Amino acid sequence: QWLNHSVDSSLHGTEEASSDLLTAPDGHGYYEVVSQDTLYSIALSFGTTTRELRRLNKLEGDDELSVGQYLLVPVADESLYES
């Protein structure tokens, strides 16, 4: 699964960005949601928990994922970044 280190702020759904580009903090990247993804399947892929993904992305309750949505995920391996 490929990750982006930076994404357009409108793609992440944040309103707090002062520029149009968000850069993931060290050890994190942005994952683009694809069809059939669930929060659980994404958490499993990146060795984390749904609770941590909810915290990182300020998701509440039963927030549904949308295809094309970017989620901030923890990443231990820099080789996963899209080049």
Side-chain angles (χ1 to χ4, degrees):
Q1 297 184 4
W2 295 103
L3 297 171
N4 295 303
H5 195 62
S6 300
V7 296
D8 184 297
S9 61
S10 65
L11 297 175
H12 186 252
T14 183
E15 297 174 11
E16 59 194 50
S18 58
S19 71
D20 289 332
L21 193 63
L22 294 177
T23 301
D26 286 342
H28 294 76
Y30 287 102
Y31 170 76
E32 184 175 4
V33 175
V34 296
S35 180
Q36 306 299 315
D37 271 344
T38 64
L39 208 55
Y40 178 76
S41 67
I42 296 168
L44 196 60
S45 294
F46 290 99
T48 191
T49 64
T50 57
R51 175 179 275 195
E52 179 64 2
L53 290 180
R54 287 185 188 285
R55 185 189 70 76
L56 287 171
N57 293 282
K58 299 179 179 143
L59 301 174
E60 296 181 11
D62 293 330
D63 285 345
E64 291 194 25
L65 301 179
S66 302
V67 171
Q69 176 182 0
Y70 282 87
L71 294 177
L72 186 62
V73 295
V75 177
D77 185 353
E78 294 280 328
S79 70
L80 292 174
Y81 288 114
E82 197 169 61
S83 43

